[in-house]
Amino acid sequence: MLPTIAREGDIVVMIDQRKLPAQEIYVRCKTAAEVARAIKTMVIRGAPAIGVAAAMGIAIGMRNSKATGTQKFAAEFHKICELMAATRPTAVNLFWAIERMKRVFADAAQAGASVDQIKDRLDAEAQAIHDEDLASCRAMGAFGADIVPVDARVLTHCNAGALATAGYGTALGVIRGAVEKGKKVAVFADETRPFLQGARLTAWELVRDGIDTTIITDNMTGALMRLGKIDLVVVGADRIAANGDTANKIGTYGVAVLAREHNVPFYVAAPLSTVDLNTPDGEQIPIEERSAREVTHVGASQLAPVGARVWNPAFDVTPHHLIAGIITERGIFRPPYIESLRRAFEKETVASR
Amino acid sequence: MLPTIAREGDIVVMIDQRKLPAQEIYVRCKTAAEVARAIKTMVIRGAPAIGVAAAMGIAIGMRNSKATGTQKFAAEFHKICELMAATRPTAVNLFWAIERMKRVFADAAQAGASVDQIKDRLDAEAQAIHDEDLASCRAMGAFGADIVPVDARVLTHCNAGALATAGYGTALGVIRGAVEKGKKVAVFADETRPFLQGARLTAWELVRDGIDTTIITDNMTGALMRLGKIDLVVVGADRIAANGDTANKIGTYGVAVLAREHNVPFYVAAPLSTVDLNTPDGEQIPIEERSAREVTHVGASQLAPVGARVWNPAFDVTPHHLIAGIITERGIFRPPYIESLRRAFEKETVASR
């Protein structure tokens, strides 16, 4: 299993995803601020992994606290939560994880727990978020495997793999699930400019697993589909609105349009923590814009002249009508999503009572 | 005017398009073999520019010949023509230019011209191909300017600019023509992986001309169009089949599908030398595949892990039904292209008699 993120005592260890595949370097974060910076600078990325990292960052931040009274401790807690929330705006898993930590804190404080007891509860919750994410990915893999043809050529965009989660992956979890069920899968990975998550991360983790992987540049998707060489598209998600509109890595929308043009089923794989019923549709999802330098330079190479503007949105929104199904840890949801997703949460509420 | 390619005595001088925009370096080719190598390695690229380069390469190759008898001279000529024809398979302008040189050679030989006279004729023909291309681009600019809205946001893919031609450009010629007519144009340039002609070349030459230019990665086209920020797409072409199907830089097809999805008119700008009536449709256009390294590395940066496959077609085919018009030096041709393009050549034949 890939070591995307792990606790070592009071340290959060992450593989530096900016350096892969050329170098395998681990970043050791000793403070909440270091974790927040790692999220912001994309040492770690991928919606579920960001949620796990934020929770672990809060946990070690509070573990480091020297506060003895619950009031000062609570003030520090809320400051750290704000720090985490300011890292990246689009992936809702970040806010979902922070909310879980806040609820645990509030429940413990209300029950009269001591500072040390609250620290233990926060540690346990962060670990639970990690472990549940891993279990969710495996469940997604098992459900999603069914929609993968026996001998399939599957296109994916960005990295929705082990590196984007606590492990196993969402979209790549579906591919791993299909392979585990004995299906033959050839993966086509969009390189996914500008951060190159497809070429650098998806290809790296699939090659490690011995899965047949071909890298293409993002602009080759159309030609590949037109040649009839893609049977299925599976991607991850950073936020799914109540109506099924899905924010995911920039370029996902174009892939979805091309998939429909060529009658290729387009699926999203994501844990229910990615679904945000408070966001009615894709229009309401905030889209992070990142620095021009991500586009104008690769390593030391200057790709663009001085004087040209750059537009660098990190995500786009795929409207629900282009999505054949949303693969979650609780099964595959189908249109109309406005109903199927709402029912998913109603069931969850009932189940947890 | 940009110095894409020029003769200096018996030397062909080209700006090295692999090094732009970081460095402005000129490559001086002293032999036909050096010119062929420059075409193959993309020191010079762009269908019309390749045609000009091949003609100039043949001209200096024959200028260098030490043959005194026409038979040996002819043998050398055909060998050099074959060398040029083997450089790149997709752009038909290459073969068109070689054919023009062959016709001049054959006519001169048949008329009993001496070796020195044939050398002069070949020089003159190569220069004519260069000068006509420049004039064609200006004519395309004048015709094409009419389809550009007064305040337009124009997307282009790859580089169909001064650098892809003898000067002024085809698609960028249309933009320059619109600007010269006082229209306000903001250009969005797809960076165009893997060779990055958009970020490196299109942005460079437009910024030099003071034209507002924004670089996006190829996978941002869909999001940009969905936001309603593109009024028009204009691209170049490497080969246009008799039915209007157009081979152009990889990714053009995806842009065309997205343009139709968003009701954005999609135009091709190319000289009639790019139209190949002997190729009935896009299925018959040979698509060059280039080395994996173009995708896996940028400069010294390794983008992809060892063990992943790469697919790297240099071009794709946009079917004629996605093309609103083909802008040429003789006006804008409209569907059905199978008729309008054939008529264009019938007129040419009449006009040249």
Side-chain angles (χ1 to χ4, degrees), chain B residues 44-121:
Chain B
I44 191 165
R45 29 61 55 200
I50 288 172
V52 172
M56 286 190 177
I58 292 168
I60 65 160
M62 298 322 296
R63 182 57 72 186
N64 291 340
S65 169
K66 294 194 167 56
T68 47
T70 47
Q71 204 163 354
K72 180 143 188 290
F73 190 68
E76 283 183 24
F77 175 78
H78 287 288
K79 210 173 143 192
I80 285 178
C81 288
E82 275 172 33
L83 184 72
M84 292 297 165
T87 51
R88 299 195 67 195
T90 304
V92 78
N93 314 61
L94 173 69
F95 307 102
W96 168 88
I98 294 169
E99 279 310 308
R100 273 185 64 162
M101 297 299 276
K102 282 184 180 171
R103 208 180 314 139
V104 162
F105 190 103
D107 288 353
Q110 201 173 4
S114 69
V115 162
D116 279 349
Q117 284 170 328
I118 298 175
K119 287 181 178 179
D120 289 345
R121 290 290 309 278

Side-chain angles (χ1 to χ4, degrees), chain A residues 2 29 40 125 169 173 200 214 217 227 243 252 277 282 284 288 295 299 325 337:
Chain A
L2 270 175
C29 299
K40 197 161 193 152
E125 188 69 5
R200 296 193 304 103
T214 302
T217 63
L227 290 171
N243 71 343
T252 303
L277 294 186
Q284 314 302 320
E288 175 184 8
V295 173
Y337 298 110

Side-chain angles (χ1 to χ4, degrees), chain B residues 131-305:
Chain B
D131 296 349
E132 288 168 26
D133 185 59
L134 187 53
S136 281
C137 286
R138 291 202 172 272
M140 264 175 258
F143 284 120
D146 293 342
I147 57 125
V148 179
V150 174
D151 191 348
R153 296 154 307 173
V154 180
L155 180 90
T156 190
H157 188 72
C158 194
N159 172 268
L163 288 166
T165 59
Y168 202 73
T170 54
L172 299 193
V174 169
I175 287 164
R176 289 190 167 100
V179 169
E180 283 175 18
K181 287 191 180 171
K183 294 180 176 181
K184 191 179 159 203
V185 182
V187 177
F188 287 83
D190 283 348
E191 65 171 5
T192 317
R193 284 278 292 146
F195 202 68
L196 295 159
Q197 292 94 333
R200 297 194 303 103
L201 309 178
T202 292
W204 182 75
E205 62 170 89
L206 291 179
V207 166
R208 269 171 69 115
D209 278 9
I211 295 172
D212 182 352
T213 305
T214 302
I215 298 167
I216 59 171
T217 62
D218 300 293
N219 57 21
M220 292 172 188
T221 311
L224 193 63
M225 289 184 180
R226 191 146 187 265
L227 291 171
K229 291 191 175 175
I230 295 297
D231 304 305
L232 178 71
V233 177
V234 188
V235 299
D238 290 83
R239 190 184 302 207
I240 301 171
N243 71 344
D245 289 355
T246 295
N248 190 46
K249 180 53 51 198
I250 188 70
T252 303
Y253 169 57
V255 172
V257 170
L258 286 165
R260 194 196 44 189
E261 174 79 7
H262 298 92
N263 297 311
V264 176
F266 177 95
Y267 282 86
V268 170
L272 284 172
S273 57
T274 308
V275 176
D276 178 15
L277 295 187
N278 295 322
T279 300
D281 59 45
E283 297 282 309
Q284 313 303 320
I285 300 176
I287 301 295
E288 175 184 9
E289 295 197 16
R290 294 185 61 88
S291 84
R293 201 184 158 88
E294 284 185 356
V295 173
T296 58
H297 289 72
V298 168
S301 299
Q302 179 194 340
L303 312 180

Side-chain angles (χ1 to χ4, degrees), chain A residues 208-222:
Chain A
R208 269 171 69 114
D209 279 9
I211 295 172
D212 182 353
T213 305
T214 302
I215 298 168
I216 59 170
T217 63
D218 300 293
N219 57 22
M220 292 172 189
T221 311

Side-chain angles (χ1 to χ4, degrees), chain A residues 69-137:
Chain A
T70 47
Q71 204 163 352
K72 179 143 189 288
F73 190 68
E76 283 182 24
F77 175 77
H78 287 288
K79 212 173 142 192
I80 285 178
C81 289
E82 276 172 31
L83 184 72
M84 291 297 166
T87 51
R88 300 196 66 194
T90 303
V92 78
N93 313 61
L94 173 70
F95 308 103
W96 168 88
I98 294 168
E99 280 310 308
R100 274 184 66 161
M101 297 299 275
K102 282 184 179 170
R103 209 179 316 138
V104 162
F105 189 103
D107 288 352
Q110 202 173 3
S114 69
V115 162
D116 279 348
Q117 286 170 327
I118 298 176
K119 286 181 179 180
D120 288 346
R121 290 289 310 278
L122 293 173
D123 272 352
E125 188 69 5
Q127 191 59 45
I129 289 173
H130 175 281
D131 297 348
E132 289 168 24
D133 186 59
L134 188 52
S136 282
C137 287

